[in-house]
Amino acid sequence: MVGGEPGIGKSTLLLQVSGMAAAQRGSVLYVSGEESPAQVKLRAERLGVTGDGVYFLPESDLTQVLEYLESDSFALVVVDSIQTLHVADVIGTPGSLSQVRECAWRLERWAKQSNVPVLVAGHVTKEGAIAGPGTLEHIADVVLYLEGESMSSYRVLRGEKNRFGPTNEVGIFEMESTGLTDVENPSEVFLSAYREESVGSVVVPVLEGSRPLLVEIQALTSPNSYSPPRRIASGVDFNRLLLILAVLTKRAGLKLFGQDVIVNITGGLRITETAVDLGIALAIASSFTERGVVSGMVALGEIGLSGELRGVPQMERRLSEAARLGFRSCLAPGLKSDSAALCGGMRLFQADSVVEALALGLLKGS
Ligand SMILES: Nc1ncnc2c1ncn2[C@@H]1O[C@H](COP(=O)(O)OP(=O)(O)OP(=O)(O)O)[C@@H](O)[C@H]1O
Ligand SMILES: [Mg+2]
């Protein structure tokens, strides 16, 4: 199951995969109840999918699809999308919960019986789940989400569930006119607009799956004494932002209650790791105090309620990525002095609390 918001690129991904599977594994059946043959042909031409071995079936009646599947043997079946399929003997319009669930069950049964993988596209509802929480995610063996910001051309394919392997691997792609292409050096891309010493901006080496990746966290605080202050978190967890704001207010004495606070991860990434806590705190404090962040520095650490900092796993891998991209120092808790050698000779600033970290990480005000 490949889920994603409308227009994010599900059909593009599935068509590219179809082309690759046809070249390597044998014939692929591409079932679309959504788009006409002409539309799909246009896209295939644009993506450079030749069509050799890819068979197109414009059909939304699942009974017909299953009948057609008996007529030939396929290495892969692609269904775009589950919401357009329907069966006659179940009440409800296509896309309704009962239809989606029944169609998914029948496809799953067919896949298990015939031992042919079935790739299904699913639209994500407003609540962020494919057709109601828990319906399709339970039926599918693997659930992937294609995500990204509408204004950014980068897409992240994230594993949500995998019955055959780990889910912590992510794919990072760029949407081009020729389709989704692999991003070789994601850190460079996500940092391309980063300027050193800018106020309210901090770079954090996060782990996306098993690979280290540098992301830029931006924060903006602006006074607001008329309405309740707003907090906007894009790319980071909202509750985490509230916790960090509370710690900054209470432990570091920053008077943030009369301030709107906006935090953003550039490039449309979504980071769930708590290792970004310190970066968020530093970016907010930098914007609020109008003091720049020490140049060439990355920051890492989880923040606890009493303002203490906790270490993050796999420090060496993160720091070598930072060093590779020209960063020269790191602010983090629990650093061992001998790890400097392992981290490409980076200068290490050790801080055990948010207060210490702000003193070390922010330039002296003018
Ligand atoms: N010529 C083009 N050059 C670059 N990008 C394009 C081009 N045409 C389409 N795209 C990209 O492809 C996206 C649409 O991709 P696709 O149709 O695969 O999405 P989808 O998730 O299947 O959408 P839907 O929910 O409508 O089925 C567009 O939002 C756009 O970003
Ligand atoms: Mg589509």
Side-chain angles (χ1 to χ4, degrees):
M1 181 91 44
V2 178
E5 288 178 7
I8 197 78
K10 301 178 292 295
S11 304
T12 306
L13 178 67
L14 292 183
L15 198 56
Q16 285 183 273
V17 169
S18 299
M20 290 172 187
Q24 293 168 13
R25 301 287 167 102
S27 29
V28 174
L29 183 69
Y30 192 102
V31 183
S32 177
E34 232 160 52
E35 291 172 298
S36 68
Q39 272 177 306
V40 176
K41 185 158 181 281
L42 260 177
R43 182 184 293 119
E45 279 167 4
R46 177 163 58 83
L47 303 178
V49 175
T50 58
D52 286 344
V54 182
Y55 297 86
F56 183 73
L57 180 66
E59 180 62 73
S60 55
D61 184 341
L62 181 61
T63 319
Q64 301 283 326
V65 173
L66 293 177
E67 228 166 74
Y68 186 86
L69 283 172
E70 297 310 316
S71 71
D72 208 338
S73 73
F74 295 97
L76 174 72
V77 175
V78 174
V79 176
D80 189 8
S81 66
I82 190 75
Q83 275 90 355
T84 51
L85 283 185
H86 64 89
V87 282
D89 50 327
V90 170
I91 8 173
T93 49
S96 65
L97 202 58
S98 50
Q99 284 284 357
V100 165
R101 187 164 23 201
E102 184 62 28
C103 291
W105 271 117
R106 290 190 193 181
L107 273 175
E108 189 244 26
R109 232 170 322 162
W110 181 85
K112 295 259 144 88
Q113 271 163 16
S114 51
N115 210 19
V116 172
V118 179
L119 262 176
V120 180
H123 297 288
V124 169
T125 59
K126 281 210 182 61
E127 295 76 38
I130 311 171
T135 16
L136 293 179
E137 280 92 341
H138 282 304
I139 297 170
D141 284 326
V142 178
V143 179
L144 304 172
Y145 281 101
L146 191 60
E147 297 172 342
E149 270 177 356
S150 52
M151 297 310 291
S152 147
S153 61
Y154 297 104
R155 302 283 184 270
V156 176
L157 187 68
R158 185 186 302 280
E160 178 76 20
K161 163 182 172 180
N162 187 355
R163 285 190 179 137
F164 307 107
T167 51
N168 60 3
E169 217 59 44
V170 294
I172 298 174
F173 303 99
E174 182 167 11
M175 176 66 90
E176 291 172 349
S177 59
T178 51
L180 291 160
T181 51
D182 226 358
V183 174
E184 298 275 336
N185 253 322
S187 296
E188 279 166 29
V189 169
F190 291 118
L191 289 185
S192 56
Y194 171 71
R195 285 183 308 118
E196 283 194 4
E197 272 186 47
S198 53
V199 167
S201 157
V202 177
V203 173
V204 179
V206 296
L207 283 183
E208 272 291 324
S210 59
R211 92 175 115 177
L213 177 66
L214 263 61
V215 297
E216 180 188 353
I217 298 175
Q218 291 181 320
L220 185 67
T221 63
S222 75
N224 170 2
S225 41
Y226 304 106
S227 57
R230 277 165 297 199
R231 278 79 177 88
I232 301 170
S234 95
V236 298
D237 184 51
F238 184 71
N239 289 322
R240 209 67 208 163
L241 172 62
L242 295 186
L243 183 152
I244 293 165
L245 287 171
V247 169
L248 283 174
T249 307
K250 185 97 179 173
R251 309 285 171 204
L254 299 186
K255 297 184 173 55
L256 292 164
F257 27 77
Q259 300 279 326
D260 287 342
V261 180
I262 304 165
V263 173
N264 177 40
I265 303 234
T266 59
L269 278 179
R270 229 178 47 190
I271 308 294
T272 47
E273 265 202 304
T274 49
V276 295
D277 287 0
L278 180 58
I280 297 173
L282 204 56
I284 294 170
S286 164
S287 173
F288 182 64
T289 59
E290 294 282 342
R291 287 161 63 188
V293 175
V294 171
S295 83
M297 190 188 73
V298 296
L300 269 171
E302 180 185 334
I303 296 180
L305 287 184
S306 48
E308 82 279 19
L309 294 180
R310 303 202 192 101
V312 299
Q314 308 209 37
M315 206 64 180
E316 271 84 14
R317 293 181 57 197
R318 298 172 196 257
L319 293 190
S320 33
E321 175 75 354
R324 189 177 75 79
L325 284 147
F327 286 85
R328 303 178 293 279
S329 60
C330 171
L331 177 65
L335 292 168
K336 292 183 242 64
S337 53
D338 62 331
S339 51
L342 295 166
C343 307
M346 283 190 114
R347 238 185 112 188
L348 302 176
F349 293 103
Q350 148 96 21
D352 295 314
S353 70
V354 171
V355 175
E356 274 178 49
L358 297 188
L360 287 168
L362 297 181
L363 297 171
K364 300 286 168 279
S366 49

